[in-house]
Amino acid sequence: IGYFAQFSAEDYFLANHFLTRGWKCVISAHPALQNSLSPSLTHFRARLRRWYQLRTNVNPLLIFLEPTTDCFLNAFLMSLSLSVLLPRLINPMVYFLCQILLWFLLDYCLLCYMH
């Protein structure tokens, strides 16, 4: 078990090790609490940065798939809903493109702020 202490997500790598050996893993009904000791903006930004590095190291494909699952799917569903609920008030394609543009701009602002 000491070998896995060198990794950032030791629980992931430990579970992956057990699964490759044929063991069964069960998710607990009682999740671990992860409250920060000092809830400040600096600690929050550091935690977000570590979480991003961890996610990109564990699965680099997420960098490309996450916008597809979040941004595009939400924009598509909302534009589809608007086309049904308010067909003459808002053009769904304009809404779709505006939401994607706004999402990317806000992500860029957050990225600039984090770095």
Side-chain angles (χ1 to χ4, degrees):
I1 293 178
Y3 169 75
F4 295 102
Q6 65 183 337
F7 298 112
S8 294
E10 67 278 354
D11 55 346
Y12 169 78
F13 292 108
L14 189 62
N16 196 16
H17 177 74
F18 287 145
L19 286 175
T20 57
R21 300 219 184 292
W23 291 36
K24 293 182 180 179
C25 292
V26 179
I27 297 176
S28 173
H30 306 287
L33 299 176
Q34 297 182 3
N35 294 336
S36 178
L37 295 176
S38 59
S40 68
L41 190 58
T42 306
H43 286 87
F44 176 70
R45 286 176 36 195
R47 193 177 84 218
L48 277 181
R49 197 174 295 121
R50 283 192 312 271
W51 181 247
Y52 177 75
Q53 290 171 349
L54 172 69
R55 289 177 59 198
T56 55
N57 288 334
V58 169
N59 193 354
L61 190 60
L62 282 177
I63 297 170
F64 303 106
L65 290 180
E66 188 176 18
T68 307
T69 58
D70 284 344
C71 174
F72 295 131
L73 182 63
N74 287 337
F76 173 73
L77 291 175
M78 189 62 190
S79 63
L80 185 66
S81 300
L82 287 174
S83 70
V84 171
L85 296 174
L86 305 168
R88 294 187 182 150
L89 187 62
I90 299 172
N91 185 350
M93 191 60 163
V94 171
Y95 179 84
F96 179 79
L97 294 174
C98 287
Q99 181 172 341
I100 289 173
L101 177 66
L102 182 64
W103 193 297
F104 283 157
L105 286 175
L106 291 175
D107 270 354
Y108 179 73
C109 290
L110 183 62
L111 184 66
C112 289
Y113 180 72
M114 294 298 285
H115 293 287

